[in-house]
Amino acid sequence: MTPVTDEPLRIAMLAPVTWPLPPEGYGPWEKCVWTLTEELVARGHKVTLFAAAGSRSSAELVSTVPHPFECWPRAEGQATARLDPASGLLVGPPDLRAWEQLHIATCMEAVRFGTFDVVHSHLHVHALVFSRLIPCPMVSSLHGAAWVKALHPIFDRYRDQPYVALSEAEKQLKPDLHYVATVHNGVRLEDFPLSTEKEDYLLFAGRMSPEKGPAEAIQIARLAGRPLRLAGMIEPQHEEYFNARVRAHLDDKWVTYLGCLSQRELAEQYRRAAAVLFPIHWCEPCSWVGIEAQASGTPIIGTRLGYLPELVRDGETGFLVDTIEQAARAVDRLDEIDPRACRANVEARFSAQTMAEGYEAVFRRLAGRTAEPAPRELAGQPA
Amino acid sequence: MTPVTDEPLRIAMLAPVTWPLPPEGYGPWEKCVWTLTEELVARGHKVTLFAAAGSRSSAELVSTVPHPFECWPRAEGQATARLDPASGLLVGPPDLRAWEQLHIATCMEAVRFGTFDVVHSHLHVHALVFSRLIPCPMVSSLHGAAWVKALHPIFDRYRDQPYVALSEAEKQLKPDLHYVATVHNGVRLEDFPLSTEKEDYLLFAGRMSPEKGPAEAIQIARLAGRPLRLAGMIEPQHEEYFNARVRAHLDDKWVTYLGCLSQRELAEQYRRAAAVLFPIHWCEPCSWVGIEAQASGTPIIGTRLGYLPELVRDGETGFLVDTIEQAARAVDRLDEIDPRACRANVEARFSAQTMAEGYEAVFRRLAGRTAEPAPRELAGQPA
């Protein structure tokens, strides 16, 4: 950790509340917020973290919602709405939308009546709607949210607010926003130690959704004649896809599904894998999978899409491909890759420290500015 | 209309955006906002109305969302989320939650940078989360929202904000809020002319949901030996209820379903009905049905619950009952009711004018006050 050379910054960190901080398994946005917060505190900044109860942090923690949404007590979360004769009220599941709004408002009220240099929001449009009502600048990390076209009209109204893209590629999802920096996600290097001893299997890690390409990973492994392990969560909307395109191929020998692993278990898989397959179909802004695998000294074979050309040095830390056949042929060239080059790549550009330095520079540039309204935007008509 | 005796008020009127203003058929909250706004403008106040495009108003209209949510173009609203290869974006239905937030934020930004005496919100918790960030008071009409117990923790955080209940009964849904007034809904008397000539049939009007009691209305009409007409929308979540408890009894002679009527069609039904049955099971805050029926000179036979004891003068403008049998016996006593007494009741206490006078008094009391934060509420921990 590097001591701050300038005055410490007073940062209001607005986390998502879907998972606790740090997340146990899945939770890429929360992982970014937690890692960044720990690093900023270590560097001497005064960070106030607004997050769900059950989170832990070295920063001052303000718990805004009683449970992370994915950890809400099951009985309460799955209750069916019904008229309760005793109270006369409609009882049912929690209103998570309203809770999230309260979460954001709690941060905005603290910012309004406290003294902060900057708000760092990880809740995109849902926080942006507050951005002109507070006396200090709000910078938003996109986390891929601009992928959802339905949100573009809202982004348009807050186009002039400062944004951080997680990769150069991410900017293409909505090129006309006011980007003040690109800051890659960065891992805690100690959590993903380098290993130069690799086994034979290929690994796919990530949500089991079509745009992530687990089905294509199976095709690649088949063509290359290697065993494949798959790890990652199955979202309800993708169960049908998983059953048809993944589960149908599981045989516990050539193709194995490991379930949704903890960070420690996944680190172990990265460490021993011959390569991580990342045959994505969308503009992946900056997944942790590629970075964590590279930190472990493991090459990536992935689509020339999203942040991969920014992460993978083709032929040196992995291979960028355009087709399944190219990916399979790349498997035969894995002995060209030096695990130490993968590790060095992450140490130089994708560490918690480089991430914190990137955001620190953004915060310093913005600190002290007020959130000026753009008068032409105030007439009320959407652009 | 009464001319203002004091200075005109500058009012930011924050409407719901589910239906256009005025609504064609269903849309009770929108009807309240539209009727009130028209009356306030007629009384000389400067009202800026924040509402969905497609609304009309005598006030200055700021259109915040391109369509009322229930009128969103069908092809767009029912689109399935999918990756669009051309743009690389996830295309799908509009994000109505984000649009509603933008709607509210547009009003809040105008309030912050403009000069308003008061904001009148009809969006309960979703607007309340902005209430401490603006420089003028926000008063919220409840419209029954506190019925939903899941919203209580959010209301608790904004307990000290000023609230208007639509009836004394409504306060029981959440007794510990800071109520500054009770203001009943009020109809435009010209839209519901008095008729003293009644036919034989009974009428049920309202959503076809269990708490409104259409099934009980059928039982009452059967016991009383009268034909029953039912009018009102069927919400998707209540289709099963409707099919089992209502549709099964339709015979186009004794029990008839008229569908979801326009205001004009419904007014015609009120005018000719022997009585309106209102066998509710919940704390109805202030439905338009009872008021409009009474304006038309039509008695109510309804549960001694919600706002009904405030509207119905038992034995004079209708009958308050506790059981289906009592309701059926009340049908035999309908000739005791003078339609003119029903009309006079509404003229005195439930007209657009009395509603506007009620809100005007609230606005005058609040105008000029700033929205003071309650410091103990700012720590971030939910109560």
Side-chain angles (χ1 to χ4, degrees), chain B residues 1-25:
Chain B
M1 98 192 57
T2 318
V4 279
T5 52
D6 214 334
E7 282 293 292
L9 291 159
R10 297 159 304 178
I11 302 157
M13 185 69 71
L14 181 60
V17 287
T18 307
W19 304 97
L21 272 67
E24 280 295 304

mmCIF file of all heavy atoms in Angstrom, chain B residues 1-25:
data_model
loop_
_atom_site.group_PDB
_atom_site.id
_atom_site.type_symbol
_atom_site.label_atom_id
_atom_site.label_comp_id
_atom_site.label_asym_id
_atom_site.label_seq_id
_atom_site.Cartn_x
_atom_site.Cartn_y
_atom_site.Cartn_z
ATOM 1 N N MET B 1 -66.583 28.274 -8.852
ATOM 2 C CA MET B 1 -65.184 28.462 -8.430
ATOM 3 C C MET B 1 -65.046 29.757 -7.645
ATOM 4 O O MET B 1 -65.673 30.761 -7.940
ATOM 5 C CB MET B 1 -64.279 28.418 -9.669
ATOM 6 C CG MET B 1 -63.856 29.729 -10.261
ATOM 7 S SD MET B 1 -63.091 29.512 -11.887
ATOM 8 C CE MET B 1 -64.346 28.672 -12.835
ATOM 9 N N THR B 2 -64.167 29.702 -6.642
ATOM 10 C CA THR B 2 -63.967 30.830 -5.731
ATOM 11 C C THR B 2 -62.636 31.500 -6.061
ATOM 12 O O THR B 2 -61.635 30.808 -6.190
ATOM 13 C CB THR B 2 -63.892 30.319 -4.281
ATOM 14 O OG1 THR B 2 -64.888 29.325 -4.118
ATOM 15 C CG2 THR B 2 -64.084 31.431 -3.285
ATOM 16 N N PRO B 3 -62.609 32.797 -6.220
ATOM 17 C CA PRO B 3 -61.316 33.446 -6.475
ATOM 18 C C PRO B 3 -60.437 33.365 -5.234
ATOM 19 O O PRO B 3 -60.929 33.342 -4.108
ATOM 20 C CB PRO B 3 -61.695 34.900 -6.781
ATOM 21 C CG PRO B 3 -63.041 35.104 -6.176
ATOM 22 C CD PRO B 3 -63.711 33.776 -6.145
ATOM 23 N N VAL B 4 -59.119 33.314 -5.430
ATOM 24 C CA VAL B 4 -58.217 33.263 -4.290
ATOM 25 C C VAL B 4 -58.210 34.609 -3.589
ATOM 26 O O VAL B 4 -58.178 35.654 -4.217
ATOM 27 C CB VAL B 4 -56.765 32.887 -4.687
ATOM 28 C CG1 VAL B 4 -56.644 31.405 -4.857
ATOM 29 C CG2 VAL B 4 -56.312 33.648 -5.892
ATOM 30 N N THR B 5 -58.269 34.570 -2.293
ATOM 31 C CA THR B 5 -58.278 35.814 -1.522
ATOM 32 C C THR B 5 -56.852 36.182 -1.130
ATOM 33 O O THR B 5 -56.565 37.315 -0.808
ATOM 34 C CB THR B 5 -59.115 35.638 -0.247
ATOM 35 O OG1 THR B 5 -58.637 34.483 0.436
ATOM 36 C CG2 THR B 5 -60.577 35.442 -0.599
ATOM 37 N N ASP B 6 -55.978 35.193 -1.160
ATOM 38 C CA ASP B 6 -54.591 35.400 -0.771
ATOM 39 C C ASP B 6 -53.731 35.361 -2.042
ATOM 40 O O ASP B 6 -54.247 35.241 -3.143
ATOM 41 C CB ASP B 6 -54.183 34.285 0.194
ATOM 42 C CG ASP B 6 -53.186 34.778 1.245
ATOM 43 O OD1 ASP B 6 -52.465 35.753 0.953
ATOM 44 O OD2 ASP B 6 -53.134 34.168 2.314
ATOM 45 N N GLU B 7 -52.424 35.452 -1.897
ATOM 46 C CA GLU B 7 -51.513 35.321 -3.031
ATOM 47 C C GLU B 7 -51.666 33.948 -3.679
ATOM 48 O O GLU B 7 -51.832 32.950 -2.974
ATOM 49 C CB GLU B 7 -50.061 35.447 -2.541
ATOM 50 C CG GLU B 7 -49.618 36.864 -2.276
ATOM 51 C CD GLU B 7 -49.538 37.687 -3.546
ATOM 52 O OE1 GLU B 7 -48.662 37.390 -4.379
ATOM 53 O OE2 GLU B 7 -50.372 38.598 -3.719
ATOM 54 N N PRO B 8 -51.571 33.869 -5.002
ATOM 55 C CA PRO B 8 -51.589 32.545 -5.639
ATOM 56 C C PRO B 8 -50.389 31.720 -5.174
ATOM 57 O O PRO B 8 -49.304 32.257 -4.930
ATOM 58 C CB PRO B 8 -51.464 32.855 -7.131
ATOM 59 C CG PRO B 8 -51.779 34.301 -7.290
ATOM 60 C CD PRO B 8 -51.449 34.962 -5.986
ATOM 61 N N LEU B 9 -50.599 30.430 -5.050
ATOM 62 C CA LEU B 9 -49.526 29.509 -4.662
ATOM 63 C C LEU B 9 -48.839 28.955 -5.909
ATOM 64 O O LEU B 9 -49.481 28.772 -6.941
ATOM 65 C CB LEU B 9 -50.116 28.354 -3.846
ATOM 66 C CG LEU B 9 -50.636 28.707 -2.462
ATOM 67 C CD1 LEU B 9 -51.630 27.655 -1.985
ATOM 68 C CD2 LEU B 9 -49.480 28.845 -1.470
ATOM 69 N N ARG B 10 -47.544 28.681 -5.783
ATOM 70 C CA ARG B 10 -46.788 28.035 -6.858
ATOM 71 C C ARG B 10 -46.597 26.575 -6.466
ATOM 72 O O ARG B 10 -45.839 26.254 -5.560
ATOM 73 C CB ARG B 10 -45.453 28.742 -7.047
ATOM 74 C CG ARG B 10 -45.616 30.210 -7.496
ATOM 75 C CD ARG B 10 -44.380 31.016 -7.194
ATOM 76 N NE ARG B 10 -44.062 30.936 -5.766
ATOM 77 C CZ ARG B 10 -42.995 31.514 -5.202
ATOM 78 N NH1 ARG B 10 -42.145 32.198 -5.954
ATOM 79 N NH2 ARG B 10 -42.772 31.401 -3.906
ATOM 80 N N ILE B 11 -47.337 25.710 -7.148
ATOM 81 C CA ILE B 11 -47.452 24.305 -6.731
ATOM 82 C C ILE B 11 -46.845 23.389 -7.789
ATOM 83 O O ILE B 11 -47.212 23.466 -8.961
ATOM 84 C CB ILE B 11 -48.934 23.925 -6.530
ATOM 85 C CG1 ILE B 11 -49.582 24.852 -5.495
ATOM 86 C CG2 ILE B 11 -49.068 22.457 -6.121
ATOM 87 C CD1 ILE B 11 -51.092 24.950 -5.627
ATOM 88 N N ALA B 12 -45.907 22.540 -7.382
ATOM 89 C CA ALA B 12 -45.417 21.469 -8.263
ATOM 90 C C ALA B 12 -46.256 20.235 -7.980
ATOM 91 O O ALA B 12 -46.218 19.695 -6.875
ATOM 92 C CB ALA B 12 -43.939 21.188 -7.997
ATOM 93 N N MET B 13 -47.048 19.821 -8.973
ATOM 94 C CA MET B 13 -47.970 18.696 -8.789
ATOM 95 C C MET B 13 -47.362 17.462 -9.443
ATOM 96 O O MET B 13 -47.197 17.412 -10.662
ATOM 97 C CB MET B 13 -49.310 19.045 -9.440
ATOM 98 C CG MET B 13 -50.414 18.029 -9.226
ATOM 99 S SD MET B 13 -51.000 17.938 -7.509
ATOM 100 C CE MET B 13 -51.869 19.513 -7.357
ATOM 101 N N LEU B 14 -47.002 16.480 -8.619
ATOM 102 C CA LEU B 14 -46.316 15.276 -9.101
ATOM 103 C C LEU B 14 -47.336 14.151 -9.225
ATOM 104 O O LEU B 14 -47.758 13.550 -8.236
ATOM 105 C CB LEU B 14 -45.193 14.897 -8.122
ATOM 106 C CG LEU B 14 -44.355 13.675 -8.480
ATOM 107 C CD1 LEU B 14 -43.654 13.851 -9.821
ATOM 108 C CD2 LEU B 14 -43.355 13.374 -7.373
ATOM 109 N N ALA B 15 -47.732 13.871 -10.469
ATOM 110 C CA ALA B 15 -48.793 12.888 -10.731
ATOM 111 C C ALA B 15 -48.209 11.489 -10.863
ATOM 112 O O ALA B 15 -47.038 11.336 -11.182
ATOM 113 C CB ALA B 15 -49.517 13.257 -12.022
ATOM 114 N N PRO B 16 -49.024 10.463 -10.653
ATOM 115 C CA PRO B 16 -48.615 9.121 -11.079
ATOM 116 C C PRO B 16 -48.583 9.082 -12.610
ATOM 117 O O PRO B 16 -49.211 9.924 -13.264
ATOM 118 C CB PRO B 16 -49.719 8.205 -10.548
ATOM 119 C CG PRO B 16 -50.625 9.062 -9.733
ATOM 120 C CD PRO B 16 -50.386 10.474 -10.118
ATOM 121 N N VAL B 17 -47.865 8.122 -13.166
ATOM 122 C CA VAL B 17 -47.731 8.050 -14.632
ATOM 123 C C VAL B 17 -48.239 6.715 -15.172
ATOM 124 O O VAL B 17 -47.835 6.272 -16.238
ATOM 125 C CB VAL B 17 -46.265 8.288 -15.068
ATOM 126 C CG1 VAL B 17 -45.896 9.747 -14.902
ATOM 127 C CG2 VAL B 17 -45.298 7.394 -14.304
ATOM 128 N N THR B 18 -49.133 6.083 -14.437
ATOM 129 C CA THR B 18 -49.686 4.807 -14.900
ATOM 130 C C THR B 18 -50.722 5.024 -15.988
ATOM 131 O O THR B 18 -50.770 4.291 -16.976
ATOM 132 C CB THR B 18 -50.304 4.044 -13.714
ATOM 133 O OG1 THR B 18 -49.328 3.958 -12.675
ATOM 134 C CG2 THR B 18 -50.724 2.650 -14.121
ATOM 135 N N TRP B 19 -51.558 6.035 -15.806
ATOM 136 C CA TRP B 19 -52.616 6.347 -16.764
ATOM 137 C C TRP B 19 -52.470 7.800 -17.194
ATOM 138 O O TRP B 19 -51.871 8.610 -16.483
ATOM 139 C CB TRP B 19 -53.990 6.133 -16.116
ATOM 140 C CG TRP B 19 -54.199 4.763 -15.570
ATOM 141 C CD1 TRP B 19 -54.037 4.355 -14.273
ATOM 142 C CD2 TRP B 19 -54.585 3.594 -16.294
ATOM 143 N NE1 TRP B 19 -54.301 3.015 -14.147
ATOM 144 C CE2 TRP B 19 -54.637 2.519 -15.371
ATOM 145 C CE3 TRP B 19 -54.895 3.347 -17.632
ATOM 146 C CZ2 TRP B 19 -54.991 1.220 -15.748
ATOM 147 C CZ3 TRP B 19 -55.251 2.066 -17.995
ATOM 148 C CH2 TRP B 19 -55.297 1.011 -17.074
ATOM 149 N N PRO B 20 -53.051 8.153 -18.337
ATOM 150 C CA PRO B 20 -53.031 9.577 -18.722
ATOM 151 C C PRO B 20 -53.946 10.389 -17.805
ATOM 152 O O PRO B 20 -54.812 9.836 -17.140
ATOM 153 C CB PRO B 20 -53.562 9.561 -20.157
ATOM 154 C CG PRO B 20 -54.371 8.315 -20.273
ATOM 155 C CD PRO B 20 -53.768 7.319 -19.319
ATOM 156 N N LEU B 21 -53.742 11.694 -17.803
ATOM 157 C CA LEU B 21 -54.625 12.599 -17.062
ATOM 158 C C LEU B 21 -55.490 13.362 -18.050
ATOM 159 O O LEU B 21 -54.942 14.002 -18.942
ATOM 160 C CB LEU B 21 -53.805 13.600 -16.239
ATOM 161 C CG LEU B 21 -53.393 13.188 -14.837
ATOM 162 C CD1 LEU B 21 -52.408 12.047 -14.843
ATOM 163 C CD2 LEU B 21 -52.830 14.388 -14.090
ATOM 164 N N PRO B 22 -56.788 13.421 -17.912
ATOM 165 C CA PRO B 22 -57.566 12.583 -17.002
ATOM 166 C C PRO B 22 -57.628 11.156 -17.525
ATOM 167 O O PRO B 22 -57.541 10.954 -18.731
ATOM 168 C CB PRO B 22 -58.955 13.239 -17.046
ATOM 169 C CG PRO B 22 -59.029 13.842 -18.411
ATOM 170 C CD PRO B 22 -57.632 14.297 -18.728
ATOM 171 N N PRO B 23 -57.792 10.169 -16.643
ATOM 172 C CA PRO B 23 -57.896 8.790 -17.126
ATOM 173 C C PRO B 23 -59.221 8.579 -17.854
ATOM 174 O O PRO B 23 -60.230 9.182 -17.492
ATOM 175 C CB PRO B 23 -57.816 7.959 -15.851
ATOM 176 C CG PRO B 23 -58.274 8.871 -14.762
ATOM 177 C CD PRO B 23 -57.887 10.261 -15.175
ATOM 178 N N GLU B 24 -59.180 7.705 -18.851
ATOM 179 C CA GLU B 24 -60.407 7.389 -19.611
ATOM 180 C C GLU B 24 -61.343 6.496 -18.801
ATOM 181 O O GLU B 24 -62.544 6.724 -18.756
ATOM 182 C CB GLU B 24 -60.032 6.644 -20.895
ATOM 183 C CG GLU B 24 -59.546 7.530 -22.011
ATOM 184 C CD GLU B 24 -60.659 8.453 -22.497
ATOM 185 O OE1 GLU B 24 -61.722 7.938 -22.883
ATOM 186 O OE2 GLU B 24 -60.452 9.681 -22.479
ATOM 187 N N GLY B 25 -60.753 5.456 -18.228
ATOM 188 C CA GLY B 25 -61.559 4.509 -17.443
ATOM 189 C C GLY B 25 -60.991 4.451 -16.040
ATOM 190 O O GLY B 25 -61.134 5.383 -15.269
#
